[in-house]
Amino acid sequence: MALKTISAKAAAALDKELMSSGGFSIDQLMELAGLSVSQAVYHVHPPNKGRRILVACGPGNNGGDGLVAARHLCHYGYQPTVYYPKRSKNELYQRLSKQLEDLNVPFTDDFPTALSSTDHIVDAIFGFSFSGEVREPFPAVIQALEETKLPITSVDAPSSWNIEDGPPGSGVGSTFHPAVLVSLTAPKPLVKHFRGRHFIGGRFVAPSIALKYDFDVPQYSGIDQVVEVPTSGNKL
Amino acid sequence: MALKTISAKAAAALDKELMSSGGFSIDQLMELAGLSVSQAVYHVHPPNKGRRILVACGPGNNGGDGLVAARHLCHYGYQPTVYYPKRSKNELYQRLSKQLEDLNVPFTDDFPTALSSTDHIVDAIFGFSFSGEVREPFPAVIQALEETKLPITSVDAPSSWNIEDGPPGSGVGSTFHPAVLVSLTAPKPLVKHFRGRHFIGGRFVAPSIALKYDFDVPQYSGIDQVVEVPTSGNKL
């Protein structure tokens, strides 16, 4: 049975509800989202498979999740490098960056060089609010991610994919197929085109909220903040 | 070798520094603290040893850590009940309570009845900022915790203990010896009187901060947010 998905519009409404009547702050949600991502990375690529990890962060919330994940990965013993070319002026993102600087995590503006000296990659460039064209400087970054043979973990969506329809028909991102996807709270419709290992993260959703938005809270195990689920794309 | 400890004054300065130049918000720190506590409880008392857990929350930050822990415990499959008689009017605590209400976690004002129908207890009443007398309605609660044979996990300090000197010489709390203690960021001097299982939580401290405040960042394992350490008290 395929997992239920939620549209970009529903995901935006869900976030808004969690942060109003749900009582969550964005700090809290982002902390739990980034923690989920870090746990999926640890599960798929434990540090003994290579400690160097390049975390590519976009300008919005997806990038913030990446900044949180990078911090947890650093505490787990990885050596993260952060590519964050379009830094948000929002104070939350500045604080998340400061937390990384205090851990001596390097920030780089040179994506190709960073890519040539890493063991795996976290793609936290665009999330469910992405639509339209990939803007500068990200087209070259997405293209490099398409071409690399290194394993990539995408946060919520493979960056450049349309949230409903999956990979673009042509151009940048049309052949981008990351090894791992971590869907946050619920998978988005694009998962039907995804062929890698699929995790769901965000172990904070009340059953009543999942019911309202018509998705399933997956069966997490133990104290895990992520759970691996069958990949829809394999079944097409 | 005994673990280095930090005084109540140093712990307050550390919190202040983390939340100013360190870039952390209180939401974020409380989320990670409560998560640590929930993981220690899971480790010591997995749900198959009894799902009913009574979380006793005080009026300040220690109580907030308890509210966060209760939420994670609920997601792990426990059945928490929260005793929170002196609710803070601060909006953060109201939001943490709302998150529990949305999970249908019951709040009770009747501590003795709740105590008679639980499998274990989290003591999140007072933390490192406690000093002086135990105020109403908590003397009877501490006394009940002293008398129960159920296992108790205390957050940062066994409630009523003096942060430097340990259990009071007489009266309420003088014979309070919880089974488990979760020290947050670093143990407080009272640990030299503690005889149970000791965990350290708070896997977010940069080594430079630990150096400045002269404590050790313990060796966490894997993705764990807590680590068990030898009990100082056993060595006295």
Side-chain angles (χ1 to χ4, degrees):
Chain A
M1 200 182 72
L3 282 163
K4 287 180 182 171
T5 61
I6 61 170
S7 68
K9 198 175 158 187
L14 169 62
D15 262 12
K16 200 173 164 189
E17 178 158 347
L18 287 170
M19 287 189 276
S20 53
S21 61
F24 288 91
S25 67
I26 189 165
D27 286 55
Q28 214 185 347
L29 291 178
M30 203 166 271
E31 190 63 34
L32 292 171
L35 180 69
S36 297
V37 172
S38 72
Q39 291 193 353
V41 168
Y42 190 95
H43 191 76
V44 175
H45 307 283
N48 61 15
K49 289 177 76 176
R51 291 179 181 274
R52 298 174 306 171
I53 186 157
L54 173 57
V55 184
C57 297
N61 285 355
N62 206 250
D65 298 339
L67 296 173
V68 172
R71 171 166 39 81
H72 285 291
L73 289 166
C74 180
H75 284 294
Y76 302 162
Y78 291 87
Q79 291 153 0
T81 296
V82 174
Y83 173 73
Y84 187 30
K86 291 283 181 187
R87 293 201 187 201
S88 169
K89 283 180 182 156
N90 180 302
E91 64 90 32
L92 169 58
Y93 299 86
Q94 294 188 8
R95 288 194 286 100
L96 295 175
S97 298
K98 179 63 166 62
Q99 293 163 23
L100 288 167
E101 288 159 9
D102 286 348
L103 290 167
N104 298 315
V105 170
F107 284 68
T108 181
D109 287 326
D110 181 352
F111 192 78
T113 301
L115 191 62
S116 70
S117 53
T118 192
D119 300 307
H120 38 274
I121 301 146
V122 173
D123 156 28
I125 301 176
F126 302 124
F128 70 76
S129 56
F130 173 78
S131 66
E133 298 288 304
V134 176
R135 295 197 188 167
E136 293 297 339
F138 295 107
V141 172
I142 305 282
Q143 201 177 336
L145 293 181
E146 282 185 277
E147 290 166 5
T148 183
K149 292 196 162 46
L150 293 170
I152 300 169
T153 298
S154 286
V155 180
D156 216 25
S159 295
S160 78
W161 284 26
N162 180 285
I163 302 307
E164 294 292 322
D165 304 325
S170 62
V172 166
S174 58
T175 63
F176 180 35
H177 290 284
V180 182
L181 174 66
V182 185
S183 293
L184 296 170
T185 65
K188 311 305 171 297
L190 54 73
V191 291
K192 60 182 176 287
H193 300 280
F194 177 70
R195 309 169 194 156
R197 293 179 68 174
H198 186 202
F199 292 80
I200 298 182
R203 197 175 183 179
F204 50 76
V205 177
S208 56
I209 291 279
L211 193 67
K212 178 172 174 183
Y213 286 85
D214 192 26
F215 65 88
D216 306 304
V217 175
Q219 276 293 115
Y220 293 91
S221 173
I223 58 170
D224 292 350
Q225 299 291 318
V226 282
V227 56
E228 189 162 7
V229 294
T231 299
S232 323
N234 287 336
K235 293 183 183 166
L236 290 180
Chain B
M1 199 181 74
L3 281 164
K4 287 180 181 172
T5 61
I6 59 171
S7 68
K9 197 175 160 189
L14 169 61
D15 261 12
K16 199 173 165 190
E17 178 158 349
L18 287 170
M19 286 190 277
S20 53
S21 62
F24 288 90
S25 67
I26 189 166
D27 286 55
Q28 213 184 348
L29 292 177
M30 203 167 272
E31 190 63 34
L32 293 170
L35 180 69
S36 297
V37 172
S38 72
Q39 291 193 354
V41 168
Y42 190 95
H43 190 76
V44 175
H45 306 284
N48 61 16
K49 288 177 77 176
R51 292 180 181 273
R52 299 174 305 171
I53 186 157
L54 173 57
V55 183
C57 298
N61 285 355
N62 207 250
D65 298 339
L67 295 174
V68 171
R71 171 165 39 81
H72 286 290
L73 289 165
C74 180
H75 284 293
Y76 302 161
Y78 291 87
Q79 291 153 2
T81 295
V82 175
Y83 173 73
Y84 186 30
K86 290 284 180 188
R87 293 201 186 200
S88 168
K89 285 180 182 157
N90 180 303
E91 63 91 32
L92 168 58
Y93 299 85
Q94 293 188 7
R95 288 194 285 102
L96 295 174
S97 298
K98 180 62 167 63
Q99 293 163 24
L100 289 167
E101 287 159 10
D102 285 348
L103 290 166
N104 299 314
V105 169
F107 284 68
T108 182
D109 286 327
D110 181 353
F111 192 79
T113 301
L115 191 63
S116 69
S117 53
T118 193
D119 301 306
H120 37 274
I121 301 144
V122 173
D123 156 29
I125 301 176
F126 302 124
F128 69 76
S129 56
F130 173 79
S131 67
E133 296 290 304
V134 175
R135 295 199 187 165
E136 291 299 336
F138 295 108
V141 172
I142 305 281
Q143 200 178 338
L145 293 180
E146 282 185 278
E147 288 167 6
T148 183
K149 292 195 161 47
L150 292 169
I152 300 169
T153 298
S154 285
V155 179
D156 216 25
S159 295
S160 77
W161 284 26
N162 180 285
I163 303 306
E164 295 292 323
D165 304 325
S170 62
V172 166
S174 58
T175 62
F176 179 34
H177 290 283
V180 182
L181 174 66
V182 184
S183 293
L184 296 171
T185 66
K188 312 303 171 296
L190 54 73
V191 290
K192 62 183 176 288
H193 299 280
F194 177 70
R195 311 169 194 156
R197 293 178 67 175
H198 185 201
F199 292 80
I200 298 181
R203 196 175 181 181
F204 50 76
V205 177
S208 56
I209 291 280
L211 192 68
K212 178 172 173 182
Y213 286 85
D214 192 27
F215 64 89
D216 305 304
V217 176
Q219 276 292 115
Y220 292 92
S221 173
I223 58 171
D224 293 350
Q225 299 291 317
V226 282
V227 57
E228 188 162 7
V229 293
T231 300
S232 323
N234 287 336
K235 294 184 182 164
L236 289 181

mmCIF file with all atom_site columns, all heavy atoms in Angstrom, chain B residues 171-193:
data_model
loop_
_atom_site.group_PDB
_atom_site.id
_atom_site.type_symbol
_atom_site.label_atom_id
_atom_site.label_alt_id
_atom_site.label_comp_id
_atom_site.label_asym_id
_atom_site.label_entity_id
_atom_site.label_seq_id
_atom_site.pdbx_PDB_ins_code
_atom_site.Cartn_x
_atom_site.Cartn_y
_atom_site.Cartn_z
_atom_site.occupancy
_atom_site.B_iso_or_equiv
_atom_site.pdbx_formal_charge
_atom_site.auth_seq_id
_atom_site.auth_comp_id
_atom_site.auth_asym_id
_atom_site.auth_atom_id
_atom_site.pdbx_PDB_model_num
ATOM 1   N N   . GLY B 1 171 ? 14.367 16.806 57.649 1.00 0.00 ? 171 GLY B N   1
ATOM 2   C CA  . GLY B 1 171 ? 13.105 17.266 57.046 1.00 0.00 ? 171 GLY B CA  1
ATOM 3   C C   . GLY B 1 171 ? 12.899 16.737 55.639 1.00 0.00 ? 171 GLY B C   1
ATOM 4   O O   . GLY B 1 171 ? 13.521 15.753 55.218 1.00 0.00 ? 171 GLY B O   1
ATOM 5   N N   . VAL B 1 172 ? 12.022 17.465 54.906 1.00 0.00 ? 172 VAL B N   1
ATOM 6   C CA  . VAL B 1 172 ? 11.617 17.040 53.568 1.00 0.00 ? 172 VAL B CA  1
ATOM 7   C C   . VAL B 1 172 ? 12.823 16.871 52.634 1.00 0.00 ? 172 VAL B C   1
ATOM 8   O O   . VAL B 1 172 ? 13.617 17.793 52.474 1.00 0.00 ? 172 VAL B O   1
ATOM 9   C CB  . VAL B 1 172 ? 10.636 18.074 52.976 1.00 0.00 ? 172 VAL B CB  1
ATOM 10  C CG1 . VAL B 1 172 ? 10.460 17.867 51.478 1.00 0.00 ? 172 VAL B CG1 1
ATOM 11  C CG2 . VAL B 1 172 ? 9.296  17.987 53.677 1.00 0.00 ? 172 VAL B CG2 1
ATOM 12  N N   . GLY B 1 173 ? 12.955 15.715 52.038 1.00 0.00 ? 173 GLY B N   1
ATOM 13  C CA  . GLY B 1 173 ? 14.014 15.473 51.058 1.00 0.00 ? 173 GLY B CA  1
ATOM 14  C C   . GLY B 1 173 ? 15.273 14.853 51.651 1.00 0.00 ? 173 GLY B C   1
ATOM 15  O O   . GLY B 1 173 ? 16.157 14.430 50.908 1.00 0.00 ? 173 GLY B O   1
ATOM 16  N N   . SER B 1 174 ? 15.353 14.808 52.973 1.00 0.00 ? 174 SER B N   1
ATOM 17  C CA  . SER B 1 174 ? 16.605 14.340 53.594 1.00 0.00 ? 174 SER B CA  1
ATOM 18  C C   . SER B 1 174 ? 16.882 12.868 53.307 1.00 0.00 ? 174 SER B C   1
ATOM 19  O O   . SER B 1 174 ? 18.025 12.430 53.373 1.00 0.00 ? 174 SER B O   1
ATOM 20  C CB  . SER B 1 174 ? 16.590 14.602 55.103 1.00 0.00 ? 174 SER B CB  1
ATOM 21  O OG  . SER B 1 174 ? 15.479 13.961 55.701 1.00 0.00 ? 174 SER B OG  1
ATOM 22  N N   . THR B 1 175 ? 15.832 12.111 52.999 1.00 0.00 ? 175 THR B N   1
ATOM 23  C CA  . THR B 1 175 ? 16.047 10.687 52.665 1.00 0.00 ? 175 THR B CA  1
ATOM 24  C C   . THR B 1 175 ? 15.615 10.385 51.229 1.00 0.00 ? 175 THR B C   1
ATOM 25  O O   . THR B 1 175 ? 15.314 9.250  50.887 1.00 0.00 ? 175 THR B O   1
ATOM 26  C CB  . THR B 1 175 ? 15.258 9.763  53.623 1.00 0.00 ? 175 THR B CB  1
ATOM 27  O OG1 . THR B 1 175 ? 13.856 10.040 53.453 1.00 0.00 ? 175 THR B OG1 1
ATOM 28  C CG2 . THR B 1 175 ? 15.656 9.994  55.069 1.00 0.00 ? 175 THR B CG2 1
ATOM 29  N N   . PHE B 1 176 ? 15.611 11.424 50.383 1.00 0.00 ? 176 PHE B N   1
ATOM 30  C CA  . PHE B 1 176 ? 15.186 11.244 48.982 1.00 0.00 ? 176 PHE B CA  1
ATOM 31  C C   . PHE B 1 176 ? 16.379 10.774 48.150 1.00 0.00 ? 176 PHE B C   1
ATOM 32  O O   . PHE B 1 176 ? 17.351 11.505 47.961 1.00 0.00 ? 176 PHE B O   1
ATOM 33  C CB  . PHE B 1 176 ? 14.628 12.571 48.449 1.00 0.00 ? 176 PHE B CB  1
ATOM 34  C CG  . PHE B 1 176 ? 14.167 12.531 47.014 1.00 0.00 ? 176 PHE B CG  1
ATOM 35  C CD1 . PHE B 1 176 ? 13.586 11.377 46.466 1.00 0.00 ? 176 PHE B CD1 1
ATOM 36  C CD2 . PHE B 1 176 ? 14.310 13.641 46.193 1.00 0.00 ? 176 PHE B CD2 1
ATOM 37  C CE1 . PHE B 1 176 ? 13.159 11.352 45.137 1.00 0.00 ? 176 PHE B CE1 1
ATOM 38  C CE2 . PHE B 1 176 ? 13.877 13.625 44.864 1.00 0.00 ? 176 PHE B CE2 1
ATOM 39  C CZ  . PHE B 1 176 ? 13.312 12.472 44.342 1.00 0.00 ? 176 PHE B CZ  1
ATOM 40  N N   . HIS B 1 177 ? 16.290 9.547  47.640 1.00 0.00 ? 177 HIS B N   1
ATOM 41  C CA  . HIS B 1 177 ? 17.366 9.001  46.811 1.00 0.00 ? 177 HIS B CA  1
ATOM 42  C C   . HIS B 1 177 ? 16.800 8.375  45.538 1.00 0.00 ? 177 HIS B C   1
ATOM 43  O O   . HIS B 1 177 ? 16.512 7.180  45.499 1.00 0.00 ? 177 HIS B O   1
ATOM 44  C CB  . HIS B 1 177 ? 18.203 7.983  47.600 1.00 0.00 ? 177 HIS B CB  1
ATOM 45  C CG  . HIS B 1 177 ? 19.015 8.627  48.663 1.00 0.00 ? 177 HIS B CG  1
ATOM 46  N ND1 . HIS B 1 177 ? 20.182 9.319  48.394 1.00 0.00 ? 177 HIS B ND1 1
ATOM 47  C CD2 . HIS B 1 177 ? 18.811 8.748  49.995 1.00 0.00 ? 177 HIS B CD2 1
ATOM 48  C CE1 . HIS B 1 177 ? 20.669 9.817  49.518 1.00 0.00 ? 177 HIS B CE1 1
ATOM 49  N NE2 . HIS B 1 177 ? 19.854 9.489  50.511 1.00 0.00 ? 177 HIS B NE2 1
ATOM 50  N N   . PRO B 1 178 ? 16.626 9.194  44.481 1.00 0.00 ? 178 PRO B N   1
ATOM 51  C CA  . PRO B 1 178 ? 16.076 8.668  43.228 1.00 0.00 ? 178 PRO B CA  1
ATOM 52  C C   . PRO B 1 178 ? 17.001 7.611  42.611 1.00 0.00 ? 178 PRO B C   1
ATOM 53  O O   . PRO B 1 178 ? 18.202 7.602  42.860 1.00 0.00 ? 178 PRO B O   1
ATOM 54  C CB  . PRO B 1 178 ? 15.982 9.911  42.339 1.00 0.00 ? 178 PRO B CB  1
ATOM 55  C CG  . PRO B 1 178 ? 16.940 10.895 42.915 1.00 0.00 ? 178 PRO B CG  1
ATOM 56  C CD  . PRO B 1 178 ? 16.981 10.615 44.384 1.00 0.00 ? 178 PRO B CD  1
ATOM 57  N N   . ALA B 1 179 ? 16.386 6.741  41.795 1.00 0.00 ? 179 ALA B N   1
ATOM 58  C CA  . ALA B 1 179 ? 17.138 5.656  41.168 1.00 0.00 ? 179 ALA B CA  1
ATOM 59  C C   . ALA B 1 179 ? 18.046 6.158  40.052 1.00 0.00 ? 179 ALA B C   1
ATOM 60  O O   . ALA B 1 179 ? 19.100 5.588  39.784 1.00 0.00 ? 179 ALA B O   1
ATOM 61  C CB  . ALA B 1 179 ? 16.157 4.618  40.609 1.00 0.00 ? 179 ALA B CB  1
ATOM 62  N N   . VAL B 1 180 ? 17.610 7.227  39.383 1.00 0.00 ? 180 VAL B N   1
ATOM 63  C CA  . VAL B 1 180 ? 18.310 7.709  38.184 1.00 0.00 ? 180 VAL B CA  1
ATOM 64  C C   . VAL B 1 180 ? 18.412 9.238  38.248 1.00 0.00 ? 180 VAL B C   1
ATOM 65  O O   . VAL B 1 180 ? 17.481 9.903  38.705 1.00 0.00 ? 180 VAL B O   1
ATOM 66  C CB  . VAL B 1 180 ? 17.529 7.310  36.901 1.00 0.00 ? 180 VAL B CB  1
ATOM 67  C CG1 . VAL B 1 180 ? 18.268 7.770  35.640 1.00 0.00 ? 180 VAL B CG1 1
ATOM 68  C CG2 . VAL B 1 180 ? 17.281 5.801  36.855 1.00 0.00 ? 180 VAL B CG2 1
ATOM 69  N N   . LEU B 1 181 ? 19.550 9.746  37.796 1.00 0.00 ? 181 LEU B N   1
ATOM 70  C CA  . LEU B 1 181 ? 19.722 11.198 37.682 1.00 0.00 ? 181 LEU B CA  1
ATOM 71  C C   . LEU B 1 181 ? 20.228 11.514 36.279 1.00 0.00 ? 181 LEU B C   1
ATOM 72  O O   . LEU B 1 181 ? 21.157 10.862 35.797 1.00 0.00 ? 181 LEU B O   1
ATOM 73  C CB  . LEU B 1 181 ? 20.750 11.680 38.722 1.00 0.00 ? 181 LEU B CB  1
ATOM 74  C CG  . LEU B 1 181 ? 21.163 13.164 38.639 1.00 0.00 ? 181 LEU B CG  1
ATOM 75  C CD1 . LEU B 1 181 ? 20.001 14.089 38.974 1.00 0.00 ? 181 LEU B CD1 1
ATOM 76  C CD2 . LEU B 1 181 ? 22.349 13.439 39.585 1.00 0.00 ? 181 LEU B CD2 1
ATOM 77  N N   . VAL B 1 182 ? 19.585 12.482 35.625 1.00 0.00 ? 182 VAL B N   1
ATOM 78  C CA  . VAL B 1 182 ? 20.080 12.961 34.331 1.00 0.00 ? 182 VAL B CA  1
ATOM 79  C C   . VAL B 1 182 ? 20.631 14.370 34.543 1.00 0.00 ? 182 VAL B C   1
ATOM 80  O O   . VAL B 1 182 ? 19.872 15.319 34.725 1.00 0.00 ? 182 VAL B O   1
ATOM 81  C CB  . VAL B 1 182 ? 18.968 12.988 33.262 1.00 0.00 ? 182 VAL B CB  1
ATOM 82  C CG1 . VAL B 1 182 ? 19.553 13.398 31.898 1.00 0.00 ? 182 VAL B CG1 1
ATOM 83  C CG2 . VAL B 1 182 ? 18.281 11.637 33.141 1.00 0.00 ? 182 VAL B CG2 1
ATOM 84  N N   . SER B 1 183 ? 21.959 14.483 34.563 1.00 0.00 ? 183 SER B N   1
ATOM 85  C CA  . SER B 1 183 ? 22.580 15.807 34.683 1.00 0.00 ? 183 SER B CA  1
ATOM 86  C C   . SER B 1 183 ? 22.584 16.466 33.320 1.00 0.00 ? 183 SER B C   1
ATOM 87  O O   . SER B 1 183 ? 22.976 15.850 32.333 1.00 0.00 ? 183 SER B O   1
ATOM 88  C CB  . SER B 1 183 ? 24.034 15.671 35.171 1.00 0.00 ? 183 SER B CB  1
ATOM 89  O OG  . SER B 1 183 ? 24.083 15.194 36.495 1.00 0.00 ? 183 SER B OG  1
ATOM 90  N N   . LEU B 1 184 ? 22.149 17.710 33.253 1.00 0.00 ? 184 LEU B N   1
ATOM 91  C CA  . LEU B 1 184 ? 22.078 18.409 31.969 1.00 0.00 ? 184 LEU B CA  1
ATOM 92  C C   . LEU B 1 184 ? 23.324 19.259 31.752 1.00 0.00 ? 184 LEU B C   1
ATOM 93  O O   . LEU B 1 184 ? 23.669 20.084 32.603 1.00 0.00 ? 184 LEU B O   1
ATOM 94  C CB  . LEU B 1 184 ? 20.811 19.243 31.899 1.00 0.00 ? 184 LEU B CB  1
ATOM 95  C CG  . LEU B 1 184 ? 19.521 18.382 31.942 1.00 0.00 ? 184 LEU B CG  1
ATOM 96  C CD1 . LEU B 1 184 ? 18.279 19.249 32.096 1.00 0.00 ? 184 LEU B CD1 1
ATOM 97  C CD2 . LEU B 1 184 ? 19.405 17.500 30.702 1.00 0.00 ? 184 LEU B CD2 1
ATOM 98  N N   . THR B 1 185 ? 23.985 19.023 30.656 1.00 0.00 ? 185 THR B N   1
ATOM 99  C CA  . THR B 1 185 ? 25.280 19.610 30.234 1.00 0.00 ? 185 THR B CA  1
ATOM 100 C C   . THR B 1 185 ? 26.454 19.161 31.120 1.00 0.00 ? 185 THR B C   1
ATOM 101 O O   . THR B 1 185 ? 27.442 18.701 30.601 1.00 0.00 ? 185 THR B O   1
ATOM 102 C CB  . THR B 1 185 ? 25.285 21.148 30.088 1.00 0.00 ? 185 THR B CB  1
ATOM 103 O OG1 . THR B 1 185 ? 25.098 21.757 31.343 1.00 0.00 ? 185 THR B OG1 1
ATOM 104 C CG2 . THR B 1 185 ? 24.220 21.637 29.121 1.00 0.00 ? 185 THR B CG2 1
ATOM 105 N N   . ALA B 1 186 ? 26.340 19.321 32.434 1.00 0.00 ? 186 ALA B N   1
ATOM 106 C CA  . ALA B 1 186 ? 27.428 18.877 33.317 1.00 0.00 ? 186 ALA B CA  1
ATOM 107 C C   . ALA B 1 186 ? 26.837 18.571 34.692 1.00 0.00 ? 186 ALA B C   1
ATOM 108 O O   . ALA B 1 186 ? 25.850 19.183 35.097 1.00 0.00 ? 186 ALA B O   1
ATOM 109 C CB  . ALA B 1 186 ? 28.500 19.954 33.436 1.00 0.00 ? 186 ALA B CB  1
ATOM 110 N N   . PRO B 1 187 ? 27.444 17.631 35.430 1.00 0.00 ? 187 PRO B N   1
ATOM 111 C CA  . PRO B 1 187 ? 26.935 17.318 36.771 1.00 0.00 ? 187 PRO B CA  1
ATOM 112 C C   . PRO B 1 187 ? 27.119 18.504 37.708 1.00 0.00 ? 187 PRO B C   1
ATOM 113 O O   . PRO B 1 187 ? 28.039 19.298 37.543 1.00 0.00 ? 187 PRO B O   1
ATOM 114 C CB  . PRO B 1 187 ? 27.837 16.161 37.232 1.00 0.00 ? 187 PRO B CB  1
ATOM 115 C CG  . PRO B 1 187 ? 28.529 15.657 36.012 1.00 0.00 ? 187 PRO B CG  1
ATOM 116 C CD  . PRO B 1 187 ? 28.604 16.808 35.060 1.00 0.00 ? 187 PRO B CD  1
ATOM 117 N N   . LYS B 1 188 ? 26.224 18.601 38.664 1.00 0.00 ? 188 LYS B N   1
ATOM 118 C CA  . LYS B 1 188 ? 26.323 19.621 39.693 1.00 0.00 ? 188 LYS B CA  1
ATOM 119 C C   . LYS B 1 188 ? 27.019 18.990 40.910 1.00 0.00 ? 188 LYS B C   1
ATOM 120 O O   . LYS B 1 188 ? 27.047 17.763 41.038 1.00 0.00 ? 188 LYS B O   1
ATOM 121 C CB  . LYS B 1 188 ? 24.927 20.138 40.064 1.00 0.00 ? 188 LYS B CB  1
ATOM 122 C CG  . LYS B 1 188 ? 24.044 20.506 38.839 1.00 0.00 ? 188 LYS B CG  1
ATOM 123 C CD  . LYS B 1 188 ? 24.673 21.528 37.920 1.00 0.00 ? 188 LYS B CD  1
ATOM 124 C CE  . LYS B 1 188 ? 23.948 21.773 36.609 1.00 0.00 ? 188 LYS B CE  1
ATOM 125 N NZ  . LYS B 1 188 ? 23.845 20.667 35.662 1.00 0.00 ? 188 LYS B NZ  1
ATOM 126 N N   . PRO B 1 189 ? 27.541 19.808 41.808 1.00 0.00 ? 189 PRO B N   1
ATOM 127 C CA  . PRO B 1 189 ? 28.322 19.259 42.929 1.00 0.00 ? 189 PRO B CA  1
ATOM 128 C C   . PRO B 1 189 ? 27.564 18.221 43.770 1.00 0.00 ? 189 PRO B C   1
ATOM 129 O O   . PRO B 1 189 ? 28.184 17.319 44.348 1.00 0.00 ? 189 PRO B O   1
ATOM 130 C CB  . PRO B 1 189 ? 28.670 20.499 43.761 1.00 0.00 ? 189 PRO B CB  1
ATOM 131 C CG  . PRO B 1 189 ? 28.703 21.610 42.746 1.00 0.00 ? 189 PRO B CG  1
ATOM 132 C CD  . PRO B 1 189 ? 27.612 21.290 41.768 1.00 0.00 ? 189 PRO B CD  1
ATOM 133 N N   . LEU B 1 190 ? 26.231 18.297 43.802 1.00 0.00 ? 190 LEU B N   1
ATOM 134 C CA  . LEU B 1 190 ? 25.445 17.346 44.604 1.00 0.00 ? 190 LEU B CA  1
ATOM 135 C C   . LEU B 1 190 ? 25.657 15.893 44.173 1.00 0.00 ? 190 LEU B C   1
ATOM 136 O O   . LEU B 1 190 ? 25.324 14.972 44.933 1.00 0.00 ? 190 LEU B O   1
ATOM 137 C CB  . LEU B 1 190 ? 23.950 17.700 44.536 1.00 0.00 ? 190 LEU B CB  1
ATOM 138 C CG  . LEU B 1 190 ? 23.272 17.854 43.142 1.00 0.00 ? 190 LEU B CG  1
ATOM 139 C CD1 . LEU B 1 190 ? 23.052 16.529 42.441 1.00 0.00 ? 190 LEU B CD1 1
ATOM 140 C CD2 . LEU B 1 190 ? 21.952 18.588 43.310 1.00 0.00 ? 190 LEU B CD2 1
ATOM 141 N N   . VAL B 1 191 ? 26.210 15.648 42.975 1.00 0.00 ? 191 VAL B N   1
ATOM 142 C CA  . VAL B 1 191 ? 26.329 14.250 42.535 1.00 0.00 ? 191 VAL B CA  1
ATOM 143 C C   . VAL B 1 191 ? 27.201 13.412 43.461 1.00 0.00 ? 191 VAL B C   1
ATOM 144 O O   . VAL B 1 191 ? 27.094 12.191 43.448 1.00 0.00 ? 191 VAL B O   1
ATOM 145 C CB  . VAL B 1 191 ? 26.866 14.090 41.083 1.00 0.00 ? 191 VAL B CB  1
ATOM 146 C CG1 . VAL B 1 191 ? 25.843 14.556 40.073 1.00 0.00 ? 191 VAL B CG1 1
ATOM 147 C CG2 . VAL B 1 191 ? 28.219 14.721 40.895 1.00 0.00 ? 191 VAL B CG2 1
ATOM 148 N N   . LYS B 1 192 ? 28.040 14.056 44.235 1.00 0.00 ? 192 LYS B N   1
ATOM 149 C CA  . LYS B 1 192 ? 28.878 13.248 45.131 1.00 0.00 ? 192 LYS B CA  1
ATOM 150 C C   . LYS B 1 192 ? 28.052 12.522 46.190 1.00 0.00 ? 192 LYS B C   1
ATOM 151 O O   . LYS B 1 192 ? 28.539 11.582 46.816 1.00 0.00 ? 192 LYS B O   1
ATOM 152 C CB  . LYS B 1 192 ? 30.003 14.083 45.753 1.00 0.00 ? 192 LYS B CB  1
ATOM 153 C CG  . LYS B 1 192 ? 29.563 15.228 46.633 1.00 0.00 ? 192 LYS B CG  1
ATOM 154 C CD  . LYS B 1 192 ? 30.792 16.007 47.132 1.00 0.00 ? 192 LYS B CD  1
ATOM 155 C CE  . LYS B 1 192 ? 30.405 17.227 47.939 1.00 0.00 ? 192 LYS B CE  1
ATOM 156 N NZ  . LYS B 1 192 ? 29.847 18.306 47.093 1.00 0.00 ? 192 LYS B NZ  1
ATOM 157 N N   . HIS B 1 193 ? 26.806 12.939 46.361 1.00 0.00 ? 193 HIS B N   1
ATOM 158 C CA  . HIS B 1 193 ? 25.909 12.257 47.313 1.00 0.00 ? 193 HIS B CA  1
ATOM 159 C C   . HIS B 1 193 ? 24.938 11.319 46.616 1.00 0.00 ? 193 HIS B C   1
ATOM 160 O O   . HIS B 1 193 ? 24.085 10.703 47.264 1.00 0.00 ? 193 HIS B O   1
ATOM 161 C CB  . HIS B 1 193 ? 25.107 13.294 48.114 1.00 0.00 ? 193 HIS B CB  1
ATOM 162 C CG  . HIS B 1 193 ? 25.969 14.203 48.909 1.00 0.00 ? 193 HIS B CG  1
ATOM 163 N ND1 . HIS B 1 193 ? 26.508 13.834 50.127 1.00 0.00 ? 193 HIS B ND1 1
ATOM 164 C CD2 . HIS B 1 193 ? 26.431 15.454 48.649 1.00 0.00 ? 193 HIS B CD2 1
ATOM 165 C CE1 . HIS B 1 193 ? 27.254 14.821 50.588 1.00 0.00 ? 193 HIS B CE1 1
ATOM 166 N NE2 . HIS B 1 193 ? 27.222 15.810 49.709 1.00 0.00 ? 193 HIS B NE2 1
#
